Amino acid sequence: MSIDMRQFHQTFFEESFEGLDIMETELLNLDVGATDIDVINTIFRAAHSIKGGSGTFGFNNVAEFTHVAETLLDEMRDGTRAVTQNAVSILLKSVDIIRGMLTALRDDGEMDAAQVAEVKAELDALLGSDSIETDHSSNETAGAAATSSGWKIKFTPHAEMLRTGNDPVRMLRALAELGELDVKADISKLPGFSELNPEDSFLSWDLTLSGEISEADVREVFEWVDDECDLDITALAAEAKAVSTESPASNTEHTAEPAGTDKAPATRSAKTAKAGETTSIRVDIDKVDEIINLVGELVITQSMLGQMGSDFEETQVIDTNKLEKLREGLGQLERNTRELQESVMRIRMLPISFVFSRMPRLIHDLSSKLDKKVDLVISGEQTELDKTVMEKIGDPMVHLVRNALDHGLESPEQRVAAGKPETGTVNLNAYHQGGNIVIEISDDGAGLNRKKIQTKAIERGVIGPDDHLSDEMIQDMIFHPGFSTADQVSDVSGRGVGMDVVRKNIKALGGNVEVKSEEGIGSQFTIRLPLTLAILDGQLVRVGDDTYVFPLISIIESIQVKTEQVNAVAGKAELYKLRNEYIPIIRAHRVFGMPEENKDLAGRLMVVVEGDGHRAGVIVDDLLAQQQVVIKSLETNYRRIEGLSGATILGDGTVALILDIAGLISMFREGNYDSPPPSPKKPDVSAVNSEAA
């Protein structure tokens, strides 16, 4: 029976990319000049797994390339090669190459063969250089002596090794492929039949392998059970001297079947066992247990309601007690459903460390390129957010960190001259705030130059020479398309392309980005994002005959308008004095081009909202219920409308539009309020429903 190995490819790629992340992180942690065995072993194991998996699935080019990098790591591991900056840099390049090769294989793309050959040549040149040859020669001498007489192998599987799918007989057959094999089985630990667990291993083997065989070839047979057995390999000549005075083993001996026709290496069984994992998201087992418990509660509630239904059918009588129990049952069903929904959504939540982990390498490469000294400080890396948001926030963050290094931090000489430490600091921080995740990227560099930005803005006609703008408004201009204050254009940044895209991408996720900077002190970019893009806690309101949804997180309070606190500005804009603050009044009817029968604000309902750090009061006709709504793309089903972020389907099957509070306030601030957009036609319900299905 043949197995379609392609079904395991996705798992292999995911595990390999995780291994590459580990290699990259640990290489950056490796101290040049020191030999940290634990760190090197971690890197080596990751490379070894990638090589083994690549060979198993027939990706021989990846396996061959990784093997060269692994050889370099092996020399570092056994102390025959020093850990140098050059070696670390080449290994980091190798990580990039392997990642590129795997990506090409996964996406059916093309590899950059020239780049692969270039880095491979650097690895070969490094392996063939310096004093390692001397060390090798001594090893090779020893190896040659051992090879002439073979190897003595003591193989003792751990009790649980068989449960991972590894078969000792296959390993013995693989050894027999290498040379003449003599097998002696030790059954001294085999228990009585009544105590025998067939899933445990009780045997061990003394093996004698003769022939021209390298130690590496022998160890390769056991590479997948390296941590599941006790393995002792010694040169046969040395063993012969050692055992000459020992008494022979008294155990009962069995000779294993020599080489057969099955040449499948032991490595494959282990890989097959791992390939059983088909999920693409690693989920904490506690989250799964929570869902199972909630499903159990749902089954109990369903059983209770079913029993009530049967009682009603039998008696045909609905008394007060039964009605009350029915209400309780429905309430419990609602609670269980909500908790189950929240638990399922949490499955998609991943720690933001998946994004933060890209930054140490970025800092390492850029600081070397720009000749700057930088410390990266990361905090809040376990803060969770939705996987979809995670995948889309990576590139904007990379851009902000690149800008912090290129434009923010000064050179060591400039920092010393300014009385700062020559090493600059970039901080990454993340935390939850309300229903949002807040990500901060800050540096202690030169900060934004107000005069420079203002001059550039005047040159580009963004502002007039007589305009008086606050620091906040000046700093916000760096998000203007094509805006750059860089003196020189480099391959890192300076063309004015990027910051507007950063803001655009973050807004597309329903978030926003702000900058605060102090000249000579540093800058801080703050990104606010919703935790998930799929579900929203909303307040339903009525405007005219239609129902709209306000994101609950945006609502500060709801009040009845008092006319004495309403002020008109320039004869058109209306402001409301809310305690010590004046906030703009936005009439929802006018925004959406609907007739407003009662134009008098006295006693009207006003929902005070906040978006992008600005507050406003939105006049509505009525406040309805609060509920969670599933967000559907308005752009996909209809078209993008300013001031709206999406649509949802209510319990009665009607469609309600979801307000984009930040966009609504922005419309007011930009003067679009007096020219409301055309009345939005409700999206086609059937189209939205089909998407939901």
Side-chain angles (χ1 to χ4, degrees):
M1 182 180 67
S2 63
I3 299 175
D4 184 2
M5 299 296 281
R6 288 175 299 181
Q7 64 182 306
F8 307 127
H9 284 182
Q10 184 59 34
T11 302
F12 162 70
F13 288 130
E14 288 175 2
E15 290 180 353
S16 296
F17 287 129
E18 287 177 9
L20 289 170
D21 289 342
I22 292 171
M23 288 179 68
E24 188 173 88
T25 301
E26 297 301 329
L27 281 169
L28 293 171
N29 291 334
L30 205 54
D31 291 329
V32 173
T35 304
D36 189 327
I37 292 299
D38 291 338
V39 173
I40 295 175
N41 275 334
T42 301
I43 302 167
F44 180 87
R45 281 195 294 271
H48 191 68
S49 296
I50 293 170
K51 185 189 81 169
S54 301
T56 300
F57 290 102
F59 304 140
N60 295 328
N61 51 355
V62 180
E64 289 167 6
F65 184 92
T66 311
H67 176 73
V68 183
E70 185 191 68
T71 304
L72 182 59
L73 287 165
D74 194 31
E75 291 179 355
M76 290 179 176
R77 190 170 64 159
D78 63 18
T80 55
R81 177 176 293 277
V83 177
T84 64
Q85 185 58 53
N86 183 42
V88 172
S89 297
I90 294 176
L91 284 170
L92 283 170
K93 288 182 186 177
S94 302
V95 169
D96 294 339
I97 291 295
I98 298 168
R99 186 179 281 122
M101 296 169 85
L102 291 172
T103 302
L105 287 166
R106 183 193 61 188
D107 302 339
D108 293 327
E110 292 186 4
M111 302 178 194
D112 188 340
Q115 196 173 17
V116 173
E118 181 183 338
V119 177
K120 171 80 164 34
E122 289 186 48
L123 280 169
D124 288 337
L126 186 61
L127 286 168
S129 66
D130 61 42
S131 59
I132 192 68
E133 292 296 331
T134 305
D135 298 319
H136 262 318
S137 61
S138 60
N139 290 340
E140 285 166 2
T141 303
T147 300
S148 62
S149 54
W151 300 92
K152 190 75 175 178
I153 305 164
K154 177 67 174 177
F155 174 42
T156 308
H158 295 168
E160 66 278 4
M161 193 193 79
L162 298 179
R163 299 174 194 170
T164 62
N166 288 290
D167 185 353
V169 175
R170 283 190 166 188
M171 299 174 206
L172 300 184
R173 286 173 176 165
L175 285 174
E177 293 283 325
L178 300 175
E180 185 181 348
L181 181 66
D182 180 57
V183 180
K184 294 179 181 177
D186 181 355
I187 61 171
S188 60
K189 294 183 180 178
L190 194 64
F193 187 77
S194 60
E195 300 173 355
L196 184 66
N197 183 347
E199 293 185 349
D200 287 347
S201 173
F202 302 99
L203 306 180
S204 62
W205 289 268
D206 290 307
L207 310 168
T208 303
L209 182 62
S210 304
E212 296 291 329
I213 309 154
S214 69
E215 183 177 351
D217 288 339
V218 177
R219 289 193 178 277
E220 189 173 4
V221 172
F222 300 96
E223 62 182 348
W224 288 102
V225 295
D226 193 37
D227 54 351
E228 296 175 357
C229 72
D230 294 327
L231 189 66
D232 183 25
I233 302 175
T234 55
L236 198 54
E239 177 67 17
K241 292 180 182 177
V243 301
S244 60
T245 58
E246 294 179 1
S247 59
S250 58
N251 299 326
T252 306
E253 299 175 355
H254 289 264
T255 302
E257 193 76 19
T261 54
D262 186 359
K263 298 181 180 180
T267 58
R268 300 208 174 175
S269 58
K271 192 63 189 176
T272 302
K274 288 187 177 181
E277 302 166 3
T278 56
T279 175
S280 60
I281 299 179
R282 303 295 172 90
V283 180
D284 191 290
I285 191 66
D286 291 339
K287 292 182 178 179
V288 177
D289 288 343
E290 186 179 347
I291 290 175
I292 292 173
N293 289 334
L294 286 170
V295 169
E297 294 291 325
L298 268 179
V299 171
I300 293 171
T301 305
Q302 185 268 338
S303 175
M304 181 178 70
L305 292 172
Q307 182 62 46
M308 288 181 189
S310 299
D311 291 344
F312 290 155
E313 287 181 359
E314 289 178 5
T315 61
Q316 298 292 315
V317 175
I318 302 178
D319 58 30
T320 307
N321 289 335
K322 289 181 178 178
L323 196 59
E324 185 61 30
K325 284 185 179 179
L326 178 62
R327 288 200 185 96
E328 290 177 4
L330 290 172
Q332 187 172 332
L333 180 65
E334 182 183 352
R335 287 193 298 276
N336 290 340
T337 304
R338 185 182 180 95
E339 289 175 6
L340 182 61
Q341 173 193 316
E342 291 173 351
S343 296
V344 170
M345 293 306 296
R346 277 201 290 274
I347 284 183
R348 294 179 54 85
M349 305 295 277
L350 298 173
I352 199 169
S353 57
F354 282 90
V355 177
F356 281 3
S357 62
R358 296 168 60 179
M359 304 308 164
R361 175 66 187 281
L362 180 68
I363 297 280
H364 172 271
D365 292 351
L366 272 185
S367 58
S368 302
K369 188 170 189 175
L370 299 171
D371 199 20
K372 294 181 178 180
K373 296 184 177 179
V374 187
D375 276 343
L376 176 64
V377 179
I378 293 177
S379 53
E381 62 269 32
Q382 294 305 315
T383 308
E384 292 186 330
L385 78 165
D386 189 277
K387 183 174 182 290
T388 306
V389 181
M390 178 93 67
E391 290 169 347
K392 295 180 179 177
I393 195 58
D395 289 343
M397 282 194 61
V398 165
H399 193 90
L400 291 174
V401 171
R402 287 168 65 94
N403 268 10
L405 260 72
D406 195 20
H407 296 316
L409 295 179
E410 313 93 328
S411 66
E413 297 77 17
Q414 290 171 327
R415 291 183 64 85
V416 171
K420 296 180 178 179
E422 64 175 5
T423 301
T425 303
V426 173
N427 287 281
L428 298 179
N429 185 29
Y431 55 90
H432 286 157
Q433 187 179 68
N436 293 330
I437 181 173
V438 180
I439 305 168
E440 296 172 344
I441 302 111
S442 59
D443 66 75
D444 64 347
L448 296 176
N449 187 320
R450 176 190 166 96
K451 188 176 179 181
K452 212 170 184 179
I453 296 173
Q454 194 168 15
T455 302
K456 185 70 73 173
I458 293 171
E459 286 175 4
R460 293 177 56 85
V462 179
I463 60 173
D466 298 328
D467 289 345
H468 297 285
L469 303 177
S470 65
D471 287 347
E472 179 188 7
M473 296 172 78
I474 290 287
Q475 291 169 2
D476 200 65
M477 285 182 183
I478 63 173
F479 295 105
H480 197 276
F483 198 93
S484 174
T485 58
D487 296 324
Q488 291 183 334
V489 174
S490 69
D491 58 348
V492 177
S493 56
R495 295 186 185 279
V497 178
M499 293 304 289
D500 60 318
V501 178
V502 167
R503 171 165 279 182
K504 182 181 176 183
N505 289 345
I506 291 172
K507 281 197 168 185
L509 292 171
N512 65 72
V513 56
E514 301 168 357
V515 57
K516 288 184 180 177
S517 182
E518 191 172 348
E519 199 165 339
I521 303 298
S523 304
Q524 175 171 303
F525 290 84
T526 304
I527 300 172
R528 286 185 174 79
L529 292 166
L531 290 179
T532 177
L533 303 179
I535 290 181
L536 174 81
D537 283 315
Q539 168 69 57
L540 274 57
V541 304
R542 183 176 63 80
V543 179
D545 294 330
D546 294 330
T547 300
Y548 292 85
V549 180
F550 281 53
L552 210 53
I553 190 68
S554 303
I555 297 178
I556 306 299
E557 59 184 316
S558 301
I559 59 175
Q560 279 193 316
V561 175
K562 296 178 181 177
T563 51
E564 64 271 21
Q565 292 179 259
V566 177
N567 295 276
V569 178
K572 54 180 185 180
E574 295 169 307
L575 298 178
Y576 191 84
K577 186 179 182 183
L578 183 64
R579 290 179 278 279
N580 297 321
E581 179 185 11
Y582 283 95
I583 61 173
I585 297 175
I586 299 175
R587 297 184 185 234
H589 295 78
R590 292 175 61 186
V591 171
F592 300 119
M594 301 169 66
E596 187 176 19
E597 295 178 1
N598 179 17
K599 296 186 178 179
D600 185 3
L601 289 175
R604 300 281 297 278
L605 274 172
M606 184 170 75
V607 183
V608 181
V609 293
E610 182 174 351
D612 272 356
H614 303 288
R615 291 188 178 188
V618 183
I619 302 297
V620 300
D621 291 329
D622 197 6
L623 290 177
L624 305 176
Q626 293 179 3
Q627 68 176 67
Q628 283 195 325
V629 296
V630 179
I631 303 172
K632 299 297 176 187
S633 169
L634 192 60
E635 201 165 349
T636 302
N637 295 287
Y638 179 54
R639 66 177 174 85
R640 186 177 183 277
I641 298 177
E642 194 173 5
L644 296 176
S645 62
T648 190
I649 302 170
L650 301 177
D652 59 2
T654 60
V655 173
L657 300 174
I658 302 169
L659 269 67
D660 170 16
I661 299 300
L664 198 63
I665 296 174
S666 177
M667 286 169 61
F668 176 86
R669 291 167 62 85
E670 293 172 3
N672 295 333
Y673 179 60
D674 286 326
S675 301
S679 178
K681 179 184 175 183
K682 289 291 183 69
D684 181 11
V685 178
S686 61
V688 178
N689 275 322
S690 65
E691 185 197 2

